[in-house]
Amino acid sequence: DSKHTLPVVAKAQKDEDGFWRLTDDQLSVQPGDSVQYSATTYGSQGKVHSPVQHWVYAPTPTLGPRRTRGAVVYRDEFNSYDTNHWDTEVSMYGGMNWEFQVYTPEKYNVYSQNGKLMLKPTFTVDDPRWDENFLHHGEMHMTSLYGVCTQSAQYGCDREGKNGILPPVMSGKIKSKPTITFGYVEVRARIPKGDFIWPAIWMLPRGSDYGQWPRSGEIDIMESRGNTQPWDQGVGAVSSTLHWGTSAGDNHFMQTTGAHRGGDFSSDFHTWRLEWTQDHLRTTIDNQEIMRVNVPGGGFSQLGPTQNIWHSRMGPFDKPFYLMLNVAVGGMTGFFPDNWNYGYEKPWKNDSPHGVDDFWANRGRWQGSWQGDKTCMEVDYIEMRNL
């Protein structure tokens, strides 16, 4: 109609790309509108008038930011510890495992050395501020000590020794600020040696789109134990696991786990890799497969079987995940079973109400296995890359 008619007299402009364009800022076109137009040109042959053309406006849907295939999302070679790209855990929260360490930002727990990231567990009493009496009678208040506490669950921010021994081990845990959804994650690292040390390279979702753990998923690229006995469950073995399900009691991780056994994986650097596509997740160490999960067309619920709360093939593993690196110690949920042969009687029982106290009181059994920087997880580089 007349209100959508271009001015009778208007001149097109020639742009740098060689095309002529006529722009009218007063014209408002909505999807589905029918537009009729013609053009008149003047040249050496005189006036030339084109036939009337017909066009229906149908804009291209917005697809969001374009991902360059194979592009590196983030790479860190750890010539320094870059807090612009990593968050440091500061908490006594021991996860759902009730681990025995406190994660700190101390320079002897999280630091860069000779182009490697070092995550090193140390004894709390080795810090000149604290002694044995402090562990049993002092107070550890993370915000007072470090100006921040990153996780308050399970008394993660404030504890008093009179209510149970304070964490006897300090250690390091970091979380990447960059995230990735589908692609490759590669980590070259040397894992620790030392009894009851528990290193991990793993991922969690940035948001809880599907709900609390494990509804929104967890990707464990590497877990190991620093023990030399039993060898095939200690430094001679590494594992990968996916955690997913409708609740903590419906965690189907046993259907999505794998292990690789060989020599002493703590004696040298190895390359761990996650391959995460729209139909499978696969982990490797030095190109040798640890775990492969082929996802059915109907999604993870078909692997369970369990209720389909995700309604997509790859859910919950179809959202942005961040990378975590940490060195934990001990725990109360059975990662270190009571009935294994560690070369001596295990220092604590998993059902004990004072497991941490027993672990520390019996340190004479395991302390000698912690030798210098061998207790560190050393990370040469990490790389996150799109498919």
Side-chain angles (χ1 to χ4, degrees):
D1 56 41
S2 60
K3 70 178 180 179
H4 283 168
T5 301
L6 284 168
V8 174
V9 179
K11 293 182 180 180
Q13 300 292 326
K14 188 177 182 180
D15 292 338
E16 294 180 356
D17 58 7
F19 289 90
W20 292 78
R21 291 182 175 86
L22 173 63
T23 302
D24 184 351
D25 294 334
Q26 304 302 313
L27 182 64
S28 176
V29 182
Q30 302 299 319
D33 281 355
S34 177
V35 178
Q36 292 183 336
Y37 63 94
S38 65
T40 301
T41 62
Y42 297 86
S44 59
Q45 303 300 317
K47 176 180 176 182
V48 179
H49 188 77
S50 72
V52 174
Q53 303 291 320
H54 179 263
W55 169 68
V56 176
Y57 178 51
T60 302
T62 301
L63 300 177
R66 182 177 179 180
R67 299 195 334 165
T68 303
R69 185 175 178 84
V72 173
V73 175
Y74 179 61
R75 181 181 174 93
D76 198 333
E77 298 184 354
F78 296 111
N79 293 312
S80 64
Y81 176 52
D82 182 5
T83 54
N84 291 318
H85 290 96
W86 296 95
D87 290 318
T88 309
E89 182 86 330
V90 182
S91 177
M92 291 175 281
Y93 172 65
M96 301 302 292
N97 306 299
W98 288 93
E99 299 144 14
F100 302 161
Q101 77 288 328
V102 52
Y103 288 124
T104 86
E106 295 286 356
K107 300 303 182 184
Y108 46 77
N109 296 133
V110 181
Y111 58 99
S112 175
Q113 177 177 286
N114 300 323
K116 308 288 192 299
L117 171 72
M118 310 290 277
L119 300 177
K120 184 175 184 177
T122 58
F123 299 149
T124 304
V125 295
D126 286 346
D127 188 300
R129 292 172 291 180
W130 303 311
D131 56 15
E132 189 73 23
N133 182 66
F134 173 80
L135 292 181
H136 296 278
H137 303 287
E139 180 180 6
M140 190 170 281
H141 191 279
M142 304 307 290
T143 304
S144 297
L145 288 168
Y146 302 112
V148 65
C149 179
T150 56
Q151 177 55 268
S152 63
Q154 297 177 3
Y155 312 102
C157 293
D158 188 17
R159 293 185 192 177
E160 295 184 60
K162 67 181 181 181
N163 299 320
I165 188 172
L166 296 174
V169 176
M170 305 166 72
S171 194
K173 177 179 182 179
I174 65 173
K175 307 175 181 181
S176 73
K177 295 180 181 179
T179 62
I180 192 169
T181 310
F182 303 120
Y184 303 95
V185 178
E186 191 168 282
V187 180
R188 184 173 185 267
R190 184 193 64 78
I191 61 175
K193 177 182 286 186
D195 288 359
F196 309 112
I197 295 177
W198 181 356
I201 301 169
W202 56 307
M203 304 181 76
L204 282 177
R206 178 63 70 193
S208 297
D209 294 78
Y210 296 111
Q212 296 304 307
W213 188 91
R215 294 170 69 98
S216 294
E218 173 184 323
I219 304 171
D220 297 338
I221 300 172
M222 186 286 299
E223 288 184 286
S224 188
R225 301 172 181 87
N227 299 63
T228 56
Q229 294 188 55
W231 181 267
D232 62 350
Q233 298 291 347
V235 291
V238 291
S239 64
S240 299
T241 305
L242 303 181
H243 292 268
W244 53 279
T246 61
S247 66
D250 184 48
N251 181 0
H252 291 269
F253 71 96
M254 288 301 294
Q255 289 144 285
T256 51
T257 189
H260 180 76
R261 292 174 173 82
D264 182 353
F265 292 115
S266 73
S267 65
D268 204 349
F269 284 82
H270 300 275
T271 302
W272 279 270
R273 192 169 190 254
L274 167 68
E275 177 183 298
W276 177 11
T277 77
Q278 283 88 352
D279 61 19
H280 73 269
L281 293 101
R282 179 175 181 258
T283 61
T284 60
I285 175 174
D286 301 332
N287 296 317
Q288 299 180 68
E289 189 169 281
I290 305 172
M291 174 196 74
R292 183 184 180 103
V293 177
N294 296 315
V295 184
F300 275 83
S301 62
Q302 291 186 330
L303 288 176
T306 188
Q307 179 186 358
N308 186 359
I309 62 172
W310 305 286
H311 305 296
S312 73
R313 180 174 184 175
M314 291 303 293
F317 304 103
D318 59 353
K319 302 294 182 182
F321 276 62
Y322 60 91
L323 179 66
M324 288 188 289
L325 308 168
N326 69 266
V327 176
V329 176
M332 300 297 296
T333 54
F335 189 73
F336 295 97
D338 291 339
N339 59 353
W340 281 3
N341 178 13
Y342 299 100
Y344 49 80
E345 183 182 357
K346 187 183 168 202
W348 80 98
K349 300 294 184 183
N350 290 324
D351 61 355
S352 171
H354 40 75
V356 187
D357 300 75
D358 296 340
F359 167 77
W360 183 243
N362 293 308
R363 61 189 177 277
R365 302 179 192 175
W366 54 264
Q367 188 171 357
S369 69
W370 290 34
Q371 298 181 6
D373 286 348
K374 290 182 179 180
T375 63
C376 292
M377 178 155 70
E378 294 186 63
V379 184
D380 183 21
Y381 70 85
I382 70 96
E383 183 176 280
M384 305 163 73
R385 182 163 51 90
N386 289 333
L387 287 176

